[in-house]
Amino acid sequence: MIYEQQNVKNNHNFGSIIWWTLIRVVFVIIVMWLLLDRFNEYSQWWAITIGAIAAIGIYPAQIQYQKFKEDSKQIIEESLCTSCRWFDPEQLLCKKLDLHVSENIIPCEGEGWEPFTYEDTL
């Protein structure tokens, strides 16, 4: 099997959404820390910092996550992987091979498919 970069519609996976959120939040914190001397009151700085983290860090992540869920709905509904015990629908990940599932690629090519058991649902 050849594992290549998979073409996913939104070019995001759950990990990349978290990673870029952390990068944006750290950037906002650093910039706001450098601007601390420009504020008259410390409470004013906190309010603007929290607002900037929400607007620049968290809100874009929510939009990306909603788009990720929307774009991955077809994979979750129509893929062979959906009925496998190793499939993680939140991340579109085959936990057995640690590879992402896409519309055209089933990581194990069906050979590693195992159905859910009663114990998996508990």
Side-chain angles (χ1 to χ4, degrees):
M1 284 189 278
I2 298 174
Y3 298 114
E4 297 177 5
Q5 181 66 28
Q6 300 167 355
N7 294 327
V8 181
K9 284 182 189 177
N10 59 4
N11 294 328
H12 290 293
N13 57 37
F14 193 72
S16 71
I17 294 170
I18 299 297
W19 172 252
W20 286 107
T21 301
L22 289 173
I23 296 291
R24 286 189 302 266
V25 167
V26 167
F27 176 75
V28 167
I29 290 172
I30 290 170
V31 167
M32 292 306 293
W33 183 63
L34 292 173
L35 295 175
L36 178 61
D37 294 337
R38 300 198 188 265
F39 291 96
N40 297 332
E41 296 181 23
Y42 195 59
S43 62
Q44 185 182 30
W45 178 82
W46 270 110
I48 293 173
T49 301
I50 291 171
I53 288 173
I56 297 171
I58 297 172
Y59 182 67
Q62 289 177 331
I63 293 171
Q64 288 174 342
Y65 182 68
Q66 292 301 321
K67 184 170 175 19
F68 168 75
K69 294 290 281 184
E70 184 178 302
D71 290 345
S72 63
K73 187 180 283 188
Q74 182 180 3
I75 295 171
I76 292 172
E77 292 175 352
E78 298 177 5
S79 175
L80 171 68
C81 294
T82 304
S83 60
C84 182
R85 72 182 297 183
W86 302 111
F87 181 67
D88 182 5
E90 286 294 316
Q91 301 178 24
L92 296 180
L93 181 72
C94 174
K95 294 186 283 187
K96 183 175 185 177
L97 299 175
D98 196 30
L99 293 170
H100 291 279
V101 177
S102 72
E103 291 178 5
N104 302 324
I105 298 174
I106 297 175
C108 69
E109 296 179 359
E111 295 175 6
W113 180 83
E114 293 180 34
F116 281 111
T117 60
Y118 178 72
E119 291 82 25
D120 292 334
T121 60
L122 294 178

